[in-house]
Amino acid sequence: MPPISISLPKHLAQPSPKTSSVTVTPIPLTSPTTSTVSSNEEPKLCSFCSLIDFSLLRYPTTTDLRSLNDGNPAPQDLSPFKRNPYARSEPTWSLGLLSRIHKSSTSCGLCHAIRTVIDQQPHVRAHFADMGVQDPLVLGTVALCGRLSAPERTSWLEHDDKYGGLKERDCFFLRRLGLLFRPADKDEDVNEPGMAKKIESWFSMVESFQTMNTAIPRAFGDRGEDRKAVLMGDEENPETVWFAGRKRPEMIDISLIKQWLEECLKKHRDVCGISEEVDENEDPDLVERMRRLSKPIPLFRLIDVKKKCIVTKYNLYDVDMSALRFASLSYVWGVAPQKLVLQMKNENELRRPNSLVGKVSQTILDAIHLTEQLGLNYLWVDALCIIQDSEDDKVMQLGNMANVYAHSLFTIIAAAGDDSNFGLPGISTPRDAVQEVVPVMAPSDNKPGMSLITALSPTHQSHEHPTRKTVWASRGWTLQERALSRRAIVIMKNHVLWSCSRSHYSEESCCETATLGTLAWFGLQESDPILNSSERTWYTQDIPEEQVWYKFQRLVQDYSGRDLKYQGDAHDAFSAVVEQVRRMTGENFLWGMPSGRFELCLCWEPYRRGLKRRTELSTLEMTSFKRHVPLPSWSWLGWSGAICLKVQDRELEVGLNPKVVCFVLRNHPLRVLPVRRISFDNDPERASSWAIPNVTDSKYSVTLDDIYDNLPSLTPEVLLDTPDDQLVIFWTESARFRLSELKVQRPSELQDNPVHMKEYTKYYRDIIDDDGEVVGKTHPCDPEARDIGVDEKGDGKCEFIRLANNYLPFCDPEKVVMQVRRGTGKENKDVRYRVNLAEIKKEAWKSVYEKRVLVALG
């Protein structure tokens, strides 16, 4: 019989790969901060809070999960197994104005906890001020937060309401209580409790409250079983509530992290391991794949965490990092200078034992302590393992970043604070956030009651990672450090997260059960940019290469929206991701764009907002010229601002059809070659043995003579002084159109929200033909840009060149075109530079385009 479908997005309804979990063993609490929690405590709720249907927040107990795993059908009258009785998937209740909650906080436990949550997030008040709202209306929403699946080799059953009998159920969904804020409407009765009539949010704090494990004893002493129940949960206790919130101690309990690490090392070798952790006789293919990701280096420095000094690993050949067990640190340098960095003048001094004692920044000091506590001897930190005043050493070591993070046993991510002096909270200083516990349901009919506990890092959107709003997550360099790490210990301001290719855990949630069930948190698994993760996304085809390209596309979008202190770092700060993708796919890259998909990637577009051109030269010397070079305008790396890279096969499947074949200029010797064949440059034997489309004799081919004949300013002397991979050359069509004044596109449903209006407002220009008709429009523009690309011909028109045809379903055919401008110097007047991307109606383009031209993009 066909199963009943549930009204959820497709990607949420799919089961995730089974996640191995941590074996439950006693853990000592260093400084417990638990308060009295009892399942028999009566809730104290106001008339607003008491109307929330807290039963939707019920989490499964040991008894529930054992019953499911034994083949019994899911109970129809208990969450998270029962159907949602409300019309909305996320039922929402009015909690009144914030001022009412403040007044009620003296008598209502939940109002008091809401006030605590807001007070512990200082940016929330600032956000209210930005919205111009002093006393917002507060809504409580019960939102989906995770997907609960059966353990390995186990199936769950539920009653089939439509056809009768039983059917398999892939997963169930857990919920948390979140808060929404908006101004009250003039005619809205803010004093009326109950279900919200208008569901709209100007600002959100999703997952503000977790369900609390009420099986925790009222008081616990030094007994191991009590400690285990508080921190890890107890699989033998039938009343243990799994995946629920738990109190965390003021200081980080190192043994909890040790158990996460040990479990991964034992159970996840197939996805989180590298060659030295896998038996070659057991899995030779895996060993070979892991070794391909390795790139030896002549010299490699580490911090010896026991001797407190720098050690150098080198030999006559190359250092094999896969033979080393070390940790790495990802952190924010910040504006304040580091206390100590490695320089040519102090390298010998810092090799002496204890030479680092009392001299390093607090974050590095805490990371050294944590690494030592976790049983490793070595730690890699950029400030002390790369000579900061040696460009040669930077070039060598930065080219090895993919290896560093891919081969480190784990990466410590310092996600708290805004500089290297902040430290790791819970290592040397206690964490001060309050976890407030609120009874919300009294026990009845032999059923336990329910309590909620305040979350330590509420996010502002669903599927948003808790680190998203941190300074660490805004920095360009830190993205590749996380993306390439096999395992990450994320030190937040008030709690710790664990992430590997198979598991995600939180210090504030009780998820470590190996046998009862597995949970995929939407805010952790599905928003964590792990390049090597075995986690499959449901947003693209379940084909290994397409999974890699989807992850790469997301990483590009994330990285391009981040900040760089030095804009010339744009290439270097992402180079490790590019190198890792190259090893995984076999693709070569030109300035962040894969050569085998280059023409498709040339159609990249701004994401939401206009971009600013990067005019700085590369920080490090590059190309065969060994000099600082411009960042090309045709590459997304040449622009500042978030972009969307067209790289997946699905772009072709929905109708985007590139119509150019690109060639690239290279020197020593001077030559042009197809971008798709750059991997075979200077390797004719390999090129002749590989089946690659021959474009030499086609209408798309480009030769040096073509350049001399069609682009006269690009003489042999000019080209001989042009660095490799700066000019991309191709034949295409060219046409000229006028542009309108700047247009503004605002989302109609957010007209009254000043914060969202600023974020989602787009600026663009209409494209106008000679008859004054609008025949297309540009992608988002930078509203502050004064020069919009009108060329020197004096007719007020701009030049556009065709890149692709776009045949989207149910839309008129369009030409995907690039707006370009020509260089202004004597030597580059025949070089065109990207200004923006646009779409123009097919018929309008055919009636105007002048001729087929040879384009050199710089």
Side-chain angles (χ1 to χ4, degrees):
M1 297 180 183
I4 299 176
S5 62
I6 53 177
S7 56
L8 289 165
K10 182 179 179 181
H11 70 279
L12 297 182
Q14 298 279 4
S16 65
K18 304 304 182 212
T19 307
S20 182
S21 302
V22 174
T23 304
V24 177
T25 56
I27 289 183
L29 289 176
T30 53
S31 179
T33 57
T34 54
S35 59
T36 300
V37 183
S38 172
S39 59
N40 297 319
E41 193 168 341
E42 288 291 330
K44 299 177 181 178
L45 302 176
C46 65
S47 58
F48 282 79
C49 296
S50 61
L51 295 182
I52 298 174
D53 186 354
F54 294 108
S55 69
L56 295 174
L57 299 172
R58 181 185 181 275
Y59 279 21
T61 64
T62 303
T63 300
D64 295 333
L65 295 174
R66 289 200 184 284
S67 176
L68 280 174
N69 293 335
D70 289 341
N72 297 309
Q76 294 179 294
D77 59 340
L78 293 175
S79 291
F81 314 112
K82 72 176 183 180
R83 299 290 182 185
N84 178 14
Y86 300 94
R88 289 180 55 86
S89 62
E90 299 181 351
T92 304
W93 287 263
S94 172
L95 301 180
L97 297 176
L98 185 59
S99 58
R100 186 210 72 81
I101 291 175
H102 280 195
K103 293 177 182 177
S104 179
S105 64
T106 57
S107 57
C108 172
L110 186 55
C111 286
H112 187 279
I114 292 172
R115 187 171 181 179
T116 298
V117 168
I118 295 174
D119 290 344
Q120 291 186 158
Q121 306 291 326
H123 63 280
V124 174
R125 298 282 183 183
H127 210 90
F128 292 160
D130 291 341
M131 293 190 303
V133 179
Q134 298 298 322
D135 192 14
L137 180 68
V138 184
L139 307 177
T141 183
V142 179
L144 301 176
C145 67
R147 183 175 52 243
L148 177 61
S149 305
E152 293 274 5
R153 296 178 294 278
T154 303
S155 298
W156 285 346
L157 300 174
E158 69 174 352
H159 294 280
D160 192 326
D161 297 332
K162 185 175 183 179
Y163 297 99
L166 301 176
K167 64 176 181 179
E168 287 192 9
R169 177 68 182 259
D170 293 326
C171 57
F172 297 96
F173 297 91
L174 303 186
R175 300 170 182 268
R176 286 179 177 173
L177 179 64
L179 302 174
L180 310 179
F181 304 88
R182 64 171 174 84
D185 293 340
K186 292 182 179 179
D187 57 350
E188 191 168 9
D189 186 356
V190 297
N191 296 313
E192 180 183 358
M195 297 286 291
K197 297 181 175 62
K198 178 182 177 182
I199 312 299
E200 181 182 299
S201 171
W202 279 29
F203 180 73
S204 304
M205 295 177 67
V206 300
E207 301 183 21
S208 296
F209 296 88
Q210 301 184 73
T211 303
M212 180 68 179
N213 190 338
T214 53
I216 294 175
R218 177 179 292 272
F220 61 93
D222 294 331
R223 295 182 304 159
E225 62 270 21
D226 285 346
R227 291 172 175 173
K228 180 178 69 173
V230 170
L231 197 55
M232 299 291 288
D234 185 356
E235 290 187 351
E236 301 305 319
N237 184 345
E239 296 181 356
T240 296
V241 180
W242 286 99
F243 317 110
R246 61 185 173 197
K247 288 272 188 174
R248 58 97 182 97
E250 291 179 353
M251 305 300 291
I252 294 174
D253 193 310
I254 304 298
S255 57
L256 175 62
I257 301 176
K258 276 186 176 180
Q259 289 194 76
W260 290 340
L261 175 61
E262 290 170 1
E263 180 68 16
C264 181
L265 291 173
K266 292 178 182 178
K267 303 294 186 181
H268 305 165
R269 292 190 306 170
D270 57 333
V271 291
C272 301
I274 54 177
S275 57
E276 82 281 3
E277 296 170 4
V278 182
D279 188 335
E280 188 163 6
N281 294 324
E282 291 181 7
D283 198 339
D285 292 338
L286 175 63
V287 172
E288 178 59 28
R289 176 170 62 87
M290 294 300 182
R291 284 174 177 166
R292 286 205 311 270
L293 300 181
S294 179
K295 179 184 177 183
I297 184 173
L299 183 150
F300 187 52
R301 301 182 193 88
L302 292 163
I303 298 172
D304 189 317
V305 299
K306 297 186 182 298
K307 295 181 179 180
K308 308 296 189 291
C309 64
I310 305 298
V311 294
T312 303
K313 303 290 183 180
Y314 58 89
N315 56 33
L316 295 177
Y317 301 99
D318 288 316
V319 177
D320 182 6
M321 272 193 268
S322 64
L324 298 171
R325 284 173 63 89
F326 66 96
S328 54
L329 175 65
S330 175
Y331 66 114
V332 175
W333 278 50
V335 177
Q338 290 263 13
K339 288 186 176 181
L340 179 70
V341 297
L342 181 64
Q343 296 176 310
M344 289 186 285
K345 65 182 180 182
N346 65 7
E347 184 178 10
N348 289 332
E349 176 188 346
L350 297 184
R351 290 175 181 169
R352 298 171 184 168
N354 297 316
S355 58
L356 301 180
V357 175
K359 297 180 181 179
V360 299
S361 300
Q362 189 63 48
T363 298
I364 298 175
L365 178 63
D366 288 348
I368 290 173
H369 177 72
L370 178 57
T371 301
E372 185 176 12
Q373 291 293 306
L374 291 173
L376 267 64
N377 292 332
Y378 301 113
L379 172 68
W380 188 91
V381 181
D382 57 0
L384 296 171
C385 298
I386 301 175
I387 300 177
Q388 299 299 313
D389 57 353
S390 169
E391 186 139 324
D392 289 341
D393 195 64
K394 282 186 176 181
V395 169
M396 178 175 63
Q397 299 296 336
L398 291 178
N400 193 50
M401 292 285 281
N403 276 338
V404 172
Y405 289 98
H407 282 86
S408 64
L409 197 68
F410 55 82
T411 298
I412 300 168
I413 293 178
D418 54 9
D419 61 36
S420 62
N421 296 311
F422 190 85
L424 302 179
I427 295 296
S428 58
T429 57
R431 300 169 292 185
D432 56 3
V434 175
Q435 288 179 280
E436 195 162 322
V437 179
V438 185
V440 293
M441 289 180 64
S444 61
D445 300 329
N446 297 320
K447 295 180 181 179
M450 179 190 296
S451 293
L452 302 183
I453 183 171
T454 53
L456 291 166
S457 297
T459 56
H460 304 308
Q461 298 177 20
S462 61
H463 291 64
E464 182 178 86
H465 198 272
T467 61
R468 183 62 183 169
K469 298 298 183 182
T470 64
V471 175
W472 173 85
S474 71
R475 296 296 188 259
W477 280 97
T478 60
L479 179 128
Q480 66 179 7
E481 296 165 4
R482 174 65 196 100
L484 301 177
S485 299
R486 293 179 291 148
R487 308 174 183 94
I489 301 168
V490 185
I491 311 295
M492 302 286 291
K493 186 177 180 181
N494 284 296
H495 65 114
V496 179
L497 302 173
W498 165 270
S499 176
C500 67
S501 294
R502 184 65 67 83
S503 299
H504 290 71
Y505 298 129
S506 171
E507 191 185 12
E508 66 170 340
S509 300
C510 182
C511 300
E512 300 85 0
T513 171
T515 60
L516 298 178
T518 60
L519 184 69
W521 297 110
F522 298 153
L524 294 180
Q525 274 94 324
E526 298 189 11
S527 62
D528 205 6
I530 310 175
L531 192 54
N532 297 328
S533 174
S534 63
E535 187 80 18
R536 290 287 186 258
T537 178
W538 308 108
Y539 292 101
T540 193
Q541 294 175 291
D542 193 14
I543 300 172
E545 188 171 357
E546 277 301 289
Q547 290 283 324
V548 172
W549 290 124
Y550 172 79
K551 293 173 185 177
F552 181 71
Q553 181 186 53
R554 283 190 56 199
L555 289 169
V556 168
Q557 183 171 312
D558 188 346
Y559 172 75
S560 59
R562 293 187 176 213
D563 300 327
L564 287 170
K565 185 177 181 179
Y566 303 106
Q567 294 300 310
D569 286 346
H571 175 273
D572 302 321
F574 197 68
S575 60
V577 171
V578 169
E579 175 63 15
Q580 194 76 337
V581 175
R582 184 191 69 79
R583 298 176 193 173
M584 297 171 74
T585 63
E587 285 275 12
N588 279 270
F589 282 75
L590 283 181
W591 292 98
M593 295 159 61
S595 60
R597 299 166 182 247
F598 188 83
E599 289 81 7
L600 180 61
C601 291
L602 206 59
C603 299
W604 63 264
E605 58 191 47
Y607 178 69
R608 290 187 181 174
R609 299 181 183 178
L611 310 174
K612 294 183 183 295
R613 181 78 170 96
R614 286 191 169 112
T615 57
E616 296 84 350
L617 300 180
S618 63
T619 302
L620 297 179
E621 295 176 349
M622 300 179 64
T623 76
S624 59
F625 284 68
K626 300 297 181 184
R627 70 189 189 198
H628 306 284
V629 298
L631 307 177
S633 71
W634 47 261
S635 168
W636 60 270
L637 288 168
W639 298 80
S640 176
I643 70 103
C644 181
L645 186 68
K646 306 291 187 178
V647 70
Q648 297 183 74
D649 286 347
R650 69 177 182 180
E651 303 290 353
L652 303 173
E653 294 167 1
V654 299
L656 184 61
N657 183 16
K659 303 301 289 184
V660 296
V661 175
C662 294
F663 289 68
V664 66
L665 179 78
R666 287 191 168 174
N667 258 298
H668 304 116
L670 186 64
R671 62 205 185 280
V672 289
L673 64 151
V675 170
R676 298 181 192 178
R677 299 185 63 160
I678 60 173
S679 59
F680 309 109
D681 192 21
N682 294 327
D683 191 354
E685 181 178 344
R686 186 182 178 204
S688 62
S689 65
W690 197 265
I692 295 180
N694 185 358
V695 297
T696 304
D697 299 323
S698 75
K699 65 178 181 179
Y700 297 107
S701 67
V702 176
T703 65
L704 285 173
D705 287 338
D706 290 328
I707 297 175
Y708 301 147
D709 293 342
N710 292 273
L711 307 170
S713 70
L714 297 180
T715 63
E717 292 76 19
V718 171
L719 295 183
L720 284 168
D721 193 46
T722 302
D724 299 340
D725 303 338
Q726 282 283 308
L727 292 183
V728 168
I729 307 154
F730 53 89
W731 292 98
T732 188
E733 298 170 358
S734 171
R736 296 164 53 77
F737 295 88
R738 288 185 176 86
L739 291 179
S740 72
E741 295 297 319
L742 203 64
K743 303 284 186 177
V744 182
Q745 178 180 336
R746 294 186 174 93
S748 57
E749 67 274 13
L750 302 173
Q751 287 287 346
D752 298 327
N753 186 336
V755 176
H756 284 179
M757 284 296 291
K758 181 179 179 181
E759 181 177 356
Y760 292 99
T761 294
K762 298 180 181 179
Y763 298 89
Y764 69 96
R765 297 181 188 274
D766 284 331
I767 299 172
I768 303 170
D769 66 12
D770 290 339
D771 296 328
E773 296 292 326
V774 175
V775 295
K777 73 176 185 178
T778 69
H779 283 251
C781 304
D782 175 12
E784 298 177 1
R786 296 181 180 179
D787 186 354
I788 64 171
V790 176
D791 61 29
E792 73 283 353
K793 291 192 176 182
D795 57 3
K797 294 182 178 180
C798 301
E799 184 182 8
F800 296 84
I801 57 174
R802 183 181 70 157
L803 297 181
N805 293 338
N806 200 8
Y807 297 102
L808 289 174
F810 312 110
C811 297
D812 292 334
E814 295 176 321
K815 301 290 184 181
V816 177
V817 298
M818 180 187 291
Q819 182 190 348
V820 295
R821 63 152 52 87
R822 291 177 182 254
T824 57
K826 179 181 178 181
E827 296 180 345
N828 70 344
K829 66 179 182 180
D830 287 321
V831 177
R832 292 169 169 88
Y833 299 90
R834 172 175 168 142
V835 177
N836 202 347
L837 209 69
E839 279 89 27
I840 295 177
K841 295 177 182 178
K842 177 182 176 181
E843 294 304 319
W845 180 269
K846 289 177 63 176
S847 66
V848 174
Y849 90 83
E850 300 170 351
K851 59 180 180 179
R852 193 164 175 263
V853 298
L854 185 66
V855 169
L857 272 182

